[in-house]
Amino acid sequence: KAGVTQTPRYLIKTRGQQVTLSCSPISGHRSVSWYQQTPGQGLQFLFEYFSETQRNKGNFPGRFSGRQFSNSRSEMNVSTLELGDSALYLCASSLGGTGQYGYTFGSGTRLTVV
Amino acid sequence: AQTVTQSQPEMSVQEAETVTLSCTYDTSENNYYLFWYKQPPSRQMILVIRQEAYKQQNATENRFSVNFQKAAKSFSLKISDSQLGDTAMYFCAVGTNAGKSTFGDGTTLTVKP
């Protein structure tokens, strides 16, 4: 059974650019969540999608957005990149609500903004 | 709102010994779940153990066990017979069926040979 696949693994972008990250969850998992991980802030919740609908949203500016497709694959987009957006972005899939099943994480996308 | 506190940023243990990582949490939910995740250096985060808050019995997975004290809102992880491969950052998390989980800041555990 394939795991959670995130692409690309590494990205270097310039301030002001935009970026799109992709996540394919485990087959059958309908919930996809995104987290930002930084040394200083730990794991910060971005948003969660369930059956193509955003079900939860964290406290991030509107520059951060996402979507989920009918096959449960998800993308997140960050526009007008800032230096502070440099982080490891983790995608996590879950069969249903995370409370009941916990997450299966992808390997992450390491974004560096220069 | 939920909060998770891991008061030990770093810990170390000798190989084959036992170590306990601490976690306290707060939640207004009546129905919630607690988790410990492990993130080895430069590797993927994996779920180590899961506890349902409505169950009094402490969860166990091989060398990993928890001490769940619901009234104290405490959820510690005990690793027995520590191995070099246990070196990782460990995250405590609380989740609900509403969707998201809230994570602590993590504890970096180093197992020394």
Side-chain angles (χ1 to χ4, degrees):
Chain A
K1 191 174 184 181
V4 178
T5 303
Q6 289 189 249
T7 56
R9 289 294 306 274
Y10 302 93
L11 266 178
I12 298 176
K13 290 286 188 179
T14 304
R15 267 184 306 174
Q17 288 186 313
Q18 76 164 24
V19 66
T20 299
L21 312 182
S22 179
C23 171
S24 293
I26 288 176
S27 178
H29 283 196
R30 297 165 64 190
S31 169
V32 174
S33 298
W34 290 88
Y35 285 84
Q36 181 195 65
Q37 185 177 18
T38 58
Q41 298 294 320
L43 276 152
Q44 301 292 314
F45 174 76
L46 281 153
F47 27 66
E48 183 223 2
Y49 286 87
F50 185 85
S51 295
E52 301 180 65
T53 300
Q54 187 180 84
R55 187 163 66 171
N56 287 286
K57 189 177 189 306
N59 296 322
F60 277 81
R63 301 185 296 108
F64 292 81
S65 62
R67 59 178 175 169
Q68 187 179 33
F69 302 96
S70 58
N71 62 357
S72 292
R73 190 177 72 86
S74 177
E75 289 181 348
M76 68 163 282
N77 184 78
V78 188
S79 63
T80 319
L81 283 165
E82 300 177 359
L83 295 179
D85 297 334
S86 295
L88 179 66
Y89 289 88
L90 294 172
C91 170
S93 80
S94 179
L95 189 60
T98 66
Q100 195 166 358
Y101 305 105
Y103 287 127
T104 301
F105 281 89
S107 298
T109 294
R110 173 78 62 185
L111 173 65
T112 302
V113 182
V114 297
Chain B
Q2 295 166 164
T3 61
V4 178
T5 302
Q6 294 180 248
S7 59
Q8 305 150 315
E10 296 183 1
M11 294 189 72
S12 64
V13 63
Q14 291 296 132
E15 198 174 5
E17 292 188 347
T18 295
V19 63
T20 299
L21 309 183
S22 301
C23 173
T24 57
Y25 65 93
D26 195 14
T27 179
S28 56
E29 300 287 334
N30 292 320
N31 192 22
Y32 58 93
Y33 304 80
L34 297 158
F35 306 92
W36 279 97
Y37 290 88
K38 168 186 176 182
Q39 188 177 38
S42 302
R43 292 183 63 186
Q44 205 159 337
M45 179 129 51
I46 59 172
L47 178 62
V48 174
I49 199 164
R50 168 182 166 273
Q51 173 80 41
E52 295 160 331
Y54 58 85
K55 288 189 176 179
Q56 291 186 342
Q57 187 173 3
N58 289 324
T60 299
E61 288 286 341
N62 300 315
R63 299 182 294 106
F64 298 87
S65 61
V66 299
N67 182 7
F68 175 45
Q69 302 290 327
K70 190 172 184 178
K73 294 185 177 178
S74 170
F75 182 61
S76 60
L77 175 69
K78 185 172 83 170
I79 306 174
S80 304
D81 185 26
S82 296
Q83 301 175 1
L84 296 178
D86 295 333
T87 292
M89 181 167 278
Y90 288 82
F91 292 92
C92 176
V94 58
T96 69
N97 285 327
K100 74 170 191 175
S101 286
T102 301
F103 288 78
D105 289 339
T107 296
T108 300
L109 175 67
T110 301
V111 180
K112 298 179 178 179

